[in-house]
Amino acid sequence: MSRTIEAIKHHMGPTTPTPSVSSDKRPAIESGTFAIGGDLPVHRLGYGAMQLTGPGVWGEPADRGQAIAVLRRAVELGINLIDTADSYGPHVSEELIREALHPYPKGLVIATKAGLTRPGPGRWVPLGRPEYLRQECEMSLRRLGIECIDLFQLHRIDPKVPADDQVRALRDLQKEGKIRYVGLSEVNVAEIEAARRIVPIATVQNQYNLAYRDSEDVLDYCTHEKIGFIPWFPLATGDLAKPHGALAKIAKELGATPSQVALAWLLKKSPVMLPIPGTSKLKHLEENTAAALLNLDDSIMEELANT
């Protein structure tokens, strides 16, 4: 335990900034800390870089300058976990991250993924052949301008390729020092356990939000095993956010937005939860990050859980 604490201190510097600095200038710090793999600490509220690309997660953004500004502002707000993928654009998101932030500030963790190909806008096709995963890892290293990817995630398990072969490919890349930690995406508990027999799994990224909780068992497993859980599409709220819905009512009582309450709910739900809300707008980025300042009491958590 002491070694983990020392690793956090070395990686992130002081962990108890003054309230004015943490709350007013860098609100993401208030989301708490989780150590990916036990020794790679991040503030739990991160940023997802998918929406920085063009329509259908395809091509260049309409305003490249604004995309760069959003990435830089995210770091200013205390966010030090940025999630991307080779398929966002494709390649565009990773290229934007390098342009905006390289050389990367100390403590910034960039998580990327491979395993989905892009035939066109809005289209995603799994491809998990080991040689392809290796190729995409090498290309991500080059695009991001780094020698080792902090967190490399299998974007989907390709049903046409043995799952063990796909996981072994990531294990081999880890052994070669090209990736630090391995993550999975859209998996069930049995698939996580099978993968863990081959390589340690540091994170799982499944769809999860107030309106969609089908991965509750996966979240429980990750919480018990201290595996980071990255909920994608964290701001989907469905009917809950409608004017007379429970979420809208609670948000009004707290003087917050429904999105902020939805993120605060995720953060309190589990200590391994790592929400990565994405946006291409500075205003929305700042609003989302301010969710880390909300502290929902048990009665609110129960009310939202029962909606």
Side-chain angles (χ1 to χ4, degrees), residues 71-82:
L71 285 163
R72 291 175 177 167
R73 182 64 178 140
V75 173
E76 290 174 354
L77 292 169
I79 290 170
N80 62 355
L81 172 62
I82 295 179

Side-chain angles (χ1 to χ4, degrees), residues 107-237:
L108 179 65
V109 172
I110 298 174
T112 193
K113 314 178 199 72
L116 288 177
T117 59
R118 302 299 309 283
R123 298 177 62 195
W124 311 78
V125 178
L127 181 54
R129 294 199 305 269
E131 64 271 22
Y132 178 75
L133 296 175
R134 172 173 289 276
Q135 167 190 297
E136 291 307 293
C137 176
E138 298 279 6
M139 293 179 68
S140 288
L141 285 167
R142 190 181 311 167
R143 281 190 294 267
L144 291 167
I146 53 180
E147 296 182 356
C148 177
I149 296 169
D150 287 325
L151 176 61
F152 193 66
Q153 304 158 91
L154 182 60
H155 212 156
R156 291 293 186 277
I157 294 177
D158 183 349
K160 301 183 298 297
V161 178
D164 285 1
D165 290 354
Q166 298 172 66
V167 177
R168 287 192 192 100
L170 272 58
R171 177 201 62 189
D172 292 347
L173 289 164
Q174 185 184 57
K175 286 183 176 180
E176 294 166 23
K178 293 176 179 177
I179 63 179
R180 184 168 178 181
Y181 288 113
V182 174
L184 302 174
S185 182
E186 281 307 301
V187 287
N188 59 38
V189 171
E191 290 167 333
I192 301 169
E193 290 181 328
R196 293 180 77 191
R197 288 193 282 270
I198 297 171
V199 68
I201 299 300
T203 63
V204 168
Q205 185 165 162
N206 280 15
Q207 184 178 2
Y208 187 86
N209 51 57
L210 263 172
Y212 184 91
R213 309 179 202 173
D214 287 6
S215 286
E216 197 80 50
D217 61 331
V218 176
L219 173 59
D220 290 343
Y221 178 85
C222 289
T223 302
H224 182 266
E225 298 296 319
K226 296 182 174 56
I227 295 171
F229 185 91
I230 305 173
W232 64 268
F233 211 16
L235 293 178
T237 52

Side-chain angles (χ1 to χ4, degrees), residues 278-301:
T279 180
S280 60
K281 306 294 184 184
L282 284 168
K283 179 182 177 183
H284 292 159
L285 171 69
E286 292 170 351
E287 287 180 354
N288 290 342
T289 311
L293 304 177
L294 280 180
N295 185 19
L296 306 185
D297 62 30
D298 291 342
S299 64
I300 291 177
M301 291 295 292

Side-chain angles (χ1 to χ4, degrees), residues 65-101:
Q66 180 170 253
I68 298 295
V70 165
L71 285 163
R72 291 175 177 167
R73 182 64 178 140
V75 173
E76 290 174 354
L77 292 169
I79 290 170
N80 62 355
L81 172 62
I82 295 179
D83 180 83
T84 185
D86 65 341
S87 54
Y88 297 166
H91 309 157
V92 173
S93 178
E94 290 181 333
E95 292 166 353
L96 286 167
I97 289 169
R98 178 173 183 171
E99 181 178 341
L101 300 174

